[in-house]
Amino acid sequence: ELKVEQNPLFLSMQEGKNYTIYCNYSTTSDRLYWYRQDPGKSLESLFVLLSNGAVKQEGRLMASLDTKARLSTLHITAAVHDLSATYFCAVDIVFGNEKLTFGTGTRLTIIP
Amino acid sequence: GAVVSQHPSRVICKSGTSVKIECRSLDFQATTMFWYRQFPKKSLMLMATSNEGSKATYEQGVEKDKFLINHASLTLSTLTVTSAHPEDSSFYICSAIPSSGVESSYEQYFGPGTRLTVT
């Protein structure tokens, strides 16, 4: 059974600081996704990582993938309040199936 | 971009009644759609895969007779919660994968979700 774990589960950080969210998964994956969810809302797609060593950046967020270590990271640079949300990683392990298994989520709170 | 809608966005129903939730892909066709549920402060759990023209595939532990899924067309899937009970109260989110020719053929596009409250 595929397991996807994130840490930390909760993260409070001050504005302007840097931090990293980790996503570990238990079996070989074809694709890894990062999503953002605001309270009461659905998911917003942030990144899709397709291969080992993939790195993608958008604004203050950067995601990377190490398929050998079965690890993805979401790095936050110089955090701002608008980044407060819950972040999920999700893994698609079966090519052609597209079923996603979601991580536990990381609730990020940026403190002014 | 690819847009997925859900209707209703919120619904309150009495225990024992049935509720239908619609998921529509607005600007693309989707052979495959997925239904998830999310409890407060928890992650998304896949309930079932909805396939146009065939029976849905349910995840282990999901009662197919309780959560009826119909993928009537390439742009519409419905989830009916039958004989709803308070423990069915949750946030239900659908997603759709473009059949072809739109964006990436593997990325799921999520609907805005439906909050179901059973009293």
Side-chain angles (χ1 to χ4, degrees):
Chain A
E1 179 188 348
L2 171 65
K3 291 186 178 179
V4 183
E5 295 182 343
Q6 289 179 235
N7 73 83
L9 298 183
F10 300 94
L11 176 58
S12 288
M13 51 190 295
Q14 287 186 317
E15 280 190 327
K17 300 291 186 182
N18 305 331
Y19 210 83
T20 301
I21 299 170
Y22 298 88
C23 173
N24 290 91
Y25 52 97
S26 61
T27 191
T28 304
S29 169
D30 288 323
R31 294 179 279 263
L32 189 135
Y33 304 77
W34 283 98
Y35 296 95
R36 168 183 172 143
Q37 186 178 37
D38 292 301
K41 303 292 186 182
S42 188
L43 300 182
E44 173 189 351
S45 178
L46 296 175
F47 301 107
V48 181
L49 303 170
L50 300 177
S51 61
N52 187 43
V55 176
K56 289 194 174 180
Q57 183 166 3
E58 181 72 34
R60 301 176 188 273
L61 301 178
M62 183 174 70
S64 65
L65 178 63
D66 181 342
T67 57
K68 294 181 181 178
R70 298 176 184 168
L71 170 69
S72 179
T73 61
L74 180 66
H75 187 73
I76 302 151
T77 302
V80 293
H81 180 69
D82 286 352
L83 291 179
S84 295
T86 298
Y87 293 85
F88 291 98
C89 64
V91 174
D92 169 4
I93 64 162
V94 181
F95 182 76
N97 182 292
E98 288 89 27
K99 287 170 58 172
L100 292 182
T101 299
F102 280 82
T104 46
T106 296
R107 187 177 305 170
L108 174 65
T109 303
I110 308 298
I111 303 168
Chain B
V3 179
V4 175
S5 70
Q6 280 183 244
H7 178 79
S9 58
R10 290 178 176 268
V11 58
I12 301 172
C13 71
K14 291 186 176 180
S15 187
T17 61
S18 296
V19 175
K20 179 184 286 188
I21 303 170
E22 294 185 347
C23 176
R24 292 182 186 273
S25 55
L26 298 185
D27 49 3
F28 64 95
Q29 294 185 329
T31 306
T32 302
M33 293 183 175
F34 298 95
W35 287 96
Y36 299 86
R37 68 185 298 181
Q38 184 181 32
F39 291 110
K41 302 188 191 323
K42 298 294 185 183
S43 187
L44 277 75
M45 297 296 294
L46 178 65
M47 298 175 66
T49 304
S50 173
N51 302 296
E52 189 271 336
S54 63
K55 291 183 179 180
T57 305
Y58 291 82
E59 295 300 301
Q60 190 173 8
V62 177
E63 299 177 60
K64 61 181 180 182
D65 293 333
K66 181 168 185 62
F67 298 99
L68 300 179
I69 291 173
N70 186 348
H71 199 140
S73 74
L74 287 172
T75 60
L76 173 64
S77 175
T78 60
L79 169 68
T80 301
V81 183
T82 63
S83 187
H85 288 92
E87 56 265 31
D88 298 324
S89 298
S90 189
F91 193 45
Y92 292 87
I93 304 174
C94 72
S95 69
I97 297 178
S99 298
S100 64
V102 176
E103 305 286 351
S104 54
S105 61
Y106 51 81
E107 186 162 3
Q108 296 185 26
Y109 296 91
F110 286 84
T114 296
R115 188 162 303 281
L116 170 63
T117 303
V118 185
T119 61

